[in-house]
Amino acid sequence: MEEEYAELFTEEVKNALVDALRDMKGEVEAHVFIDSSNPNCQYCGVTEKFMEFVRQAPPKGQDGDYLLKVKVHDLAKDKESFKKYEVSRVPTVAFLEGKIRWTGAPLGEEIRALVETIVRLSQGESGLSPETVNAIREKLNGKVKVEVMVTPSCPYCPYAALLAHMVAYEACKAEKCNVISDVVESYENPDIAEKYQVMSVPTVAVNESVEFIGVPQEENFLNTLLEKQM
């Protein structure tokens, strides 16, 4: 598996990551969930290795270490963290106490969404419109789980992933943290893809109901969350 993804760990990719993450301002903590005892977790090793590769790309902070902190949680040794962050599948890469996550390896086109998510979290800016931010603060008070079904080769999926992630981020900034944004890699999680009858990606489900095929517009996405909140 790692040989298959050898092109991820080249000097060219490293330089691209350094360039993309140079605008980080504050520390960001990423949690990587794996299971070393599970031989069927084909992507656990490459996910852990890639996140360590990404960790060394940002600038360094005042402590002399890189601004991206990566913590690895191995189900074989640390079941408590899986419970704390409500993680049930491996590999998972999570931010913001698990409210922002990738279920499956964030590789291929999803690297773009991963990098942009890290930068925005670091800068404290979601990039959402003021109208969307105000609506999240004032109207989005119920619980919402967004699942964005993606594949590594989908060039549009990162936009849907980033939109969902930033809504979850703004909900936490409003001290609610009532939105979970879960970007699900369809090939690694075929049962979830089958559940939502995914024929094309991105497919976006809100509280277990498919609401969008393709990248939703920000206003339409928010209105759907407001309607579907529980």
Side-chain angles (χ1 to χ4, degrees):
M1 180 61 65
E2 292 191 19
E3 290 77 8
E4 180 182 347
Y5 285 96
E7 72 275 8
L8 284 175
F9 306 102
T10 63
E11 197 68 23
E12 182 180 359
V13 173
K14 181 180 180 181
N15 291 338
L17 288 170
V18 168
D19 186 59
L21 294 168
R22 70 171 67 253
D23 293 328
M24 286 183 68
K25 301 298 183 186
E27 290 185 3
V28 173
E29 194 170 85
H31 296 266
V32 181
F33 296 85
I34 62 169
D35 184 2
S36 62
S37 66
N38 182 0
N40 295 320
C41 184
Q42 298 180 355
Y43 292 90
C44 280
V46 70
T47 299
E48 180 182 2
K49 182 178 178 181
F50 183 67
M51 288 304 297
E52 173 60 22
F53 192 64
V54 176
R55 184 188 71 82
Q56 300 176 51
K60 292 184 177 180
Q62 294 182 348
D63 62 357
D65 198 5
Y66 298 103
L67 287 175
L68 179 62
K69 313 297 183 183
V70 176
K71 295 188 176 181
V72 178
H73 307 278
D74 188 345
L75 184 61
K77 308 169 186 175
D78 180 18
K79 293 181 180 179
E80 290 304 313
S81 290
F82 279 72
K83 292 180 182 178
K84 176 182 177 182
Y85 293 98
E86 298 180 348
V87 172
S88 59
R89 294 175 182 245
V90 290
T92 290
V93 176
F95 300 84
L96 211 66
E97 299 298 310
K99 301 302 180 184
I100 290 175
R101 65 177 67 188
W102 275 265
T103 298
L107 302 176
E109 294 290 340
E110 281 306 305
I111 294 173
R112 293 193 289 126
L114 174 72
V115 167
E116 188 62 26
T117 295
I118 292 169
V119 171
R120 293 192 187 188
L121 292 178
S122 175
Q123 294 179 342
E125 297 290 341
S126 67
L128 300 177
S129 71
E131 293 79 11
T132 296
V133 172
N134 288 335
I136 291 170
R137 291 175 178 172
E138 297 172 5
K139 300 177 182 179
L140 190 56
N141 298 311
K143 292 185 177 180
V144 178
K145 182 176 182 180
V146 180
E147 293 168 278
V148 183
M149 307 300 301
V150 304
T151 62
S153 60
C154 168
Y156 305 105
C157 291
Y159 299 102
L162 188 63
L163 175 60
H165 282 349
M166 291 304 102
V167 170
Y169 178 42
E170 285 293 350
C172 277
K173 285 176 69 176
E175 298 184 351
K176 291 188 275 193
C177 278
N178 54 341
V179 178
I180 295 176
S181 175
D182 190 358
V183 176
V184 181
E185 207 292 296
S186 299
Y187 296 139
E188 293 178 55
N189 299 277
D191 56 322
I192 301 179
E194 183 177 348
K195 172 184 175 180
Y196 294 124
Q197 298 182 326
V198 174
M199 301 297 290
S200 63
V201 288
T203 291
V204 183
V206 180
N207 285 344
E208 300 192 337
S209 171
V210 173
E211 300 295 331
F212 300 98
I213 307 295
V215 181
Q217 293 184 344
E218 185 176 313
E219 183 179 2
N220 293 342
F221 182 63
L222 177 65
N223 287 337
T224 298
L225 300 193
L226 294 176
E227 292 171 6
K228 301 287 291 187
Q229 61 182 319
M230 299 173 66

